[in-house]
């Protein structure tokens, strides 16, 4: 069982990386092999729109995306992570997404794998749900199955979305915190990691039943 985390933040090791790390840590505790990839540490050029991938499952460009494509093929589950930039994913994450087209136009290689997403933002209600939706749409395009985690107990939000805004002080000035201190988001991230492994295991069980009865 392999779970691959892909971080689209321009800042490896910062808030978004930490939130993604919480997902992977929980998945590892459930027995998965996990790997966290920082897109900012890779050389991934822009898609050039040549449409090579319409005729064959290949890209005309060759850079670090070659390795990442293989990692995605081998993974049972993929977790995407991005900061909210102007109410969407970062340009780095979008560029990565465009380069995954060779996986889906001819062979739909990621079909049936499980997926999940996390996001961070400076503010509440300032685009983080659109950031999550952009990643969810990528999973849908690849016909993957998205896990929406809900930790036990009261409902605290709609996903693993960590923000830096912690309200106003008595004088009405904003109180800022590291997104790493958003406990509700980290609880949801950990739940996501466990749920991803659980769903992937269930799916692999049903796939072997199907193969055995054929
Ligand atoms: C160019 C830019 C655009 C941003 N746009 C938003 C935004 O629209 N809404 C928001 O709440 N935060 C926004 N932020 C704040 C980041 O989402 C936030 O600081 C995030 O946690 C950074 O993640 P990182 O620690 O992985 O870099 C923006 C930050 C930058 C640099």
């Amino acid at each position: 069982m392999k779970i691959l985390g892909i971080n689209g933040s321009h800042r490896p090791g910062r808030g978004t990386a930490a939130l993604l790390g919480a997902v992977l840590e929980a998945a590892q505790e459930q027995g998965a092999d996990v790997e966290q990839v920082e897109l900012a540490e890779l050389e991934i050029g822009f898609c050039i729109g040549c449409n090579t991938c319409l005729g064959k499952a290949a890209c005309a460009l060759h850079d670090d995306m070659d390795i990442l494509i293989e990692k995605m093929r081998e993974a049972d589950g993929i977790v995407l992570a991005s900061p909210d930039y102007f109410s969407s994913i970062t340009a780095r994450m979008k560029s990565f997404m465009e380069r995954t087209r060779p996986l889906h136009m001819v062979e739909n290689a990621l079909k049936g794998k499980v997926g999940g997403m996390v996001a961070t933002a400076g503010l509440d209600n300032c685009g983080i749900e659109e950031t999550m939706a952009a990643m969810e749409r990528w999973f849908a395009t690849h016909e993957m199955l998205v896990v929406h985690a809900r930790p036990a107990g009261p409902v605290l939000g709609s996903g693993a979305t960590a923000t830096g805004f912690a309200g106003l002080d008595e004088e009405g000035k904003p109180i800022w915190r590291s997104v790493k201190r958003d406990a509700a988001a980290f609880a949801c991230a950990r739940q996501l990691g466990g749920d991803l492994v659980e769903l992937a295991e269930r799916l692999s069980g049903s796939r072997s039943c199907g193969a055995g009865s054929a």
Side-chain angles (χ1 to χ4, degrees), residues 118-196:
V118 302
T120 65
L123 296 167
D124 293 341
N125 308 312
C126 192
I128 200 164
E129 292 194 38
E130 285 95 329
T131 307
M132 293 288 272
M135 291 185 277
E136 186 172 22
R137 193 67 214 148
W138 179 83
F139 289 118
T141 302
H142 283 287
E143 217 178 333
M144 292 177 66
L145 305 167
V146 178
V147 172
H148 292 274
R150 176 186 162 176
V155 179
L156 299 173
S158 65
T161 53
T163 58
F165 180 70
L168 301 176
D169 67 16
E170 288 169 1
E171 294 171 1
K173 292 186 186 145
I175 302 166
W176 300 107
R177 66 181 172 197
S178 162
V179 296
K180 295 177 186 172
R181 295 178 64 87
D182 188 334
F186 276 76
C188 195
R190 287 189 52 78
Q191 184 74 35
L192 177 60
D195 289 357
L196 277 166

Side-chain angles (χ1 to χ4, degrees), residues 9 11 14-16 83-87 120-123 126 179:
S9 171
R11 303 193 305 171
R14 301 295 285 270
T16 313
D84 169 2
Y85 268 37
F86 283 86
S87 302
T120 65
L123 296 167
C126 192
V179 296

Side-chain angles (χ1 to χ4, degrees), residues 17-129:
L19 191 60
L20 176 59
V23 179
L24 298 181
E25 186 181 79
Q28 192 171 39
E29 285 166 15
Q30 295 288 320
D33 290 330
V34 300
E35 183 178 5
Q36 181 160 339
V37 170
E38 299 286 342
L39 293 181
E41 292 174 350
L42 302 180
E43 290 296 327
I44 297 177
F46 291 124
C47 171
I48 56 171
C50 67
N51 286 327
T52 296
C53 55
L54 294 185
K56 56 182 178 178
C59 185
L61 303 180
H62 293 289
D63 52 23
D64 287 338
M65 199 63 192
D66 293 343
I67 304 163
L68 202 41
I69 291 268
E70 282 318 303
K71 288 184 190 293
M72 286 188 279
R73 284 184 187 279
E74 287 169 10
D76 300 285
I78 298 173
V79 188
L80 296 185
S82 179
D84 169 2
Y85 268 37
F86 283 86
S87 302
S88 191
I89 51 178
T90 59
R92 190 182 296 280
M93 174 58 80
K94 182 64 164 54
S95 183
F96 153 78
M97 288 177 173
E98 291 170 10
R99 291 288 306 281
T100 66
R101 195 180 186 221
L103 285 168
H104 116 102
M105 295 308 290
V106 173
E107 58 170 327
N108 207 14
L110 305 184
K111 177 180 178 179
K113 295 179 190 281
V114 298
M117 63 273 169
V118 302
T120 65
L123 296 167
D124 293 341
N125 308 312
C126 192
I128 200 164
E129 292 194 38

